[in-house]
Amino acid sequence: MAINTSMEQLGKVRSAIRDLFEYGNARAEIIGRENVFDYSLGNPSVAPPEQVKETLLRLVTEEDPVSLHGYTSAQGDKTVRLKVAEDLNQRYGLKISPDCLYMTCGAAASLTITLKALSCPGDEFVVIAPFFPEYRVFIEMTGMKCVVVPADLEHFQINMEAFKKSINEHTKGIILNSPNNPSGAVLSDEILKETMDFLREKEKEYGHQIFVITDEPYRELVYDDRPVPFMTKLYRDTIVCYSFSKSLSLPGERIGYILVSEEMENFGNVYAAVCGAGRALGFVCAPSMLQKTIADNLGITSDLTTYRVNRDLLYDALTSYGYDCVYPDGAFYLFVKALEEDAKAFAERAKKYELLLVPSDSFGCTGYVRLAYCVSTDMVKRSLAAFKALAEEYLKS
Ligand code: PLP
């Protein structure tokens, strides 16, 4: 009996990141965890705020368990959505209602629901390299074509010339991700303005909407006082995909939301399509206890100090050893130019020093490696000698 071969293929081929992570675990069993410098996975290394624990304890001990663990509305508990809307209105000067929000199991669910809601046969969706590898999987799963805009290798913003060429009458939308995984870059106001102006022009020319999906799990993870603008204020046809995975260090709890801008002309239909896609994909009623937990922990983050310290340590040390690094304004990733053309070969050689670095190929960009520095500062310090030795090996040859 035939089964879905593309799904079979997806299940059989592990992502490069997961592969490396598993390699690290196997290596740790042989040489000890403390001797492996694992920079593979974007798993937050700082604990959720104490307040999150207090909320969970209060919910479990004081709330009616039947209601606490029961189903909420498909799109999420109304009181929770009201609190999320109020928080966003207050922090970003918006005027949104709870009825533009759909609670989800994290950014991955937010993205798959949104893409499913928007997709029609023949549509194209644009991603800006380097990008989170799952974008391709999520887009292609809907039957849409994933169009990759090559990286701007100078500032890791958007290569505007290539971007403009990628937009055509089949373009349904683009995904933006700022702060970015894997580069750590934050999109500048100028680039955002130019991008939005261009899309508005193209909407007029083609006579249909071009949606901007803004994938924002790292919204609050910025280190140099670089405010990240709220995209619905810049562009009417925006859908925000948010997650509490990184800001509150809750990736395993699977909680986030979709926000459909109420400014868009056909808001009612698009929001209905989001609810429909959530239903079709079985993503109704995000985890009830977690919805209630985040409602009492809005506008706060885990302690981000460790990430900033790690960023500074790594950036300063690696550049002093001769590595060329993209200066990361946000997220918790450092994107480093490989010391040979083939990033995979470079990452392989790094393993000799027990350094686990992700080659950039799966991010849609060749010649770099990604370091997820959401690790202990102690590990960062202990790994510096290995980075130095690796650089020296290349200098010698
Ligand atoms: N988008 C980006 C850019 C990410 O880096 C990640 C996770 O690392 C996700 C989406 C998925 O986030 P979540 O764990 O909330 O599903």
Side-chain angles (χ1 to χ4, degrees), residues 105-108 111 132 135 177 181 215 217-218 243 245-246 251 254 333:
C105 294
L111 288 162
F132 179 55
Y135 289 166
N177 169 225
N181 173 10
D215 177 27
Y218 304 98
S243 160
S245 293
K246 318 287 173 166
R254 316 308 299 136
Y333 304 104

Side-chain angles (χ1 to χ4, degrees), residues 126-130 149-167 174-178 180 183 185-188 190-196 198-199 212 231:
V126 173
V127 298
I128 314 288
V149 169
D152 148 28
L153 294 178
E154 204 180 336
H155 305 294
F156 283 82
Q157 294 287 313
I158 298 175
N159 176 336
M160 286 311 288
E161 198 189 330
F163 168 68
K164 288 180 180 175
K165 278 195 198 136
S166 76
I167 304 295
I174 70 166
I175 302 182
L176 294 182
N177 169 225
S178 169
N180 182 265
S183 73
V186 173
L187 291 175
S188 72
E190 297 73 41
I191 283 287
L192 283 174
K193 183 175 182 317
E194 192 180 346
T195 308
M196 299 311 129
F198 181 74
L199 289 179
V212 170
M231 286 298 299

Side-chain angles (χ1 to χ4, degrees), residues 126-391:
V126 173
V127 298
I128 314 288
F131 57 87
F132 179 55
E134 298 306 273
Y135 289 166
R136 184 185 287 284
V137 176
F138 297 164
I139 291 170
E140 290 178 350
M141 184 232 9
T142 68
M144 289 191 285
K145 181 175 168 195
C146 177
V147 176
V148 178
V149 169
D152 148 28
L153 294 178
E154 204 180 336
H155 305 294
F156 283 82
Q157 294 287 313
I158 298 175
N159 176 336
M160 286 311 288
E161 198 189 330
F163 168 68
K164 288 180 180 175
K165 278 195 198 136
S166 76
I167 304 295
N168 63 56
E169 56 205 349
H170 302 294
T171 309
K172 180 50 71 70
I174 70 166
I175 302 182
L176 294 182
N177 169 225
S178 169
N180 182 265
N181 173 10
S183 73
V186 173
L187 291 175
S188 72
D189 291 349
E190 297 73 41
I191 283 287
L192 283 174
K193 183 175 182 317
E194 192 180 346
T195 308
M196 299 311 129
D197 285 348
F198 181 74
L199 289 179
R200 265 189 291 271
E201 229 175 77
K202 289 289 157 185
E203 282 192 324
K204 257 194 221 134
E205 183 183 329
Y206 302 138
H208 63 72
Q209 283 165 299
I210 300 179
F211 293 93
V212 170
I213 295 182
T214 150
D215 177 27
E216 305 193 343
Y218 304 98
R219 158 167 285 280
E220 288 86 2
L221 276 69
V222 278
Y223 305 112
D224 298 318
D225 256 348
R226 276 202 68 162
V228 177
F230 208 86
M231 286 298 299
T232 57
K233 289 168 121 178
L234 303 186
Y235 189 73
R236 199 179 52 171
D237 295 320
T238 293
I239 302 181
V240 179
C241 290
Y242 184 79
S243 160
F244 296 90
S245 293
K246 318 287 173 166
S247 60
L248 289 179
S249 304
L250 295 172
E253 303 297 351
R254 316 308 299 136
I255 189 77
Y257 60 77
I258 298 167
L259 183 164
V260 180
S261 171
E262 284 162 304
E263 307 286 317
M264 70 178 69
E265 226 171 78
N266 51 350
F267 161 76
N269 293 345
V270 175
Y271 184 74
V274 163
C275 295
R279 180 179 167 192
L281 294 168
F283 275 135
V284 289
C285 173
S288 164
M289 189 163 69
L290 264 296
Q291 288 190 47
K292 288 161 193 160
T293 303
I294 60 97
D296 274 3
N297 289 277
L298 296 163
I300 64 164
T301 65
S302 307
D303 182 359
L304 306 178
T305 324
T306 307
Y307 303 145
R308 182 200 293 255
V309 168
N310 290 356
R311 178 198 68 167
D312 292 344
L313 267 172
L314 277 168
Y315 183 83
D316 292 348
L318 266 61
T319 47
S320 81
Y321 304 150
Y323 292 96
D324 183 0
C325 309
V326 180
Y327 183 77
D329 284 305
F332 38 48
Y333 304 104
L334 187 65
F335 212 45
V336 181
K337 197 154 177 38
L339 297 177
E340 61 182 293
E341 218 167 283
D342 181 349
K344 283 187 185 151
F346 176 67
E348 269 312 305
R349 206 177 308 182
K351 281 183 182 167
K352 240 177 46 184
Y353 299 89
E354 308 301 345
L355 288 167
L356 306 191
L357 319 174
V358 182
S360 61
D361 304 65
S362 58
F363 301 112
C365 163
T366 56
Y368 287 78
V369 286
R370 186 196 77 173
L371 281 67
Y373 58 77
C374 42
V375 295
S376 73
T377 302
D378 180 53
M379 188 196 103
V380 171
K381 287 183 180 160
R382 284 184 294 105
S383 72
L384 294 182
F387 280 110
K388 192 160 189 246
L390 177 64

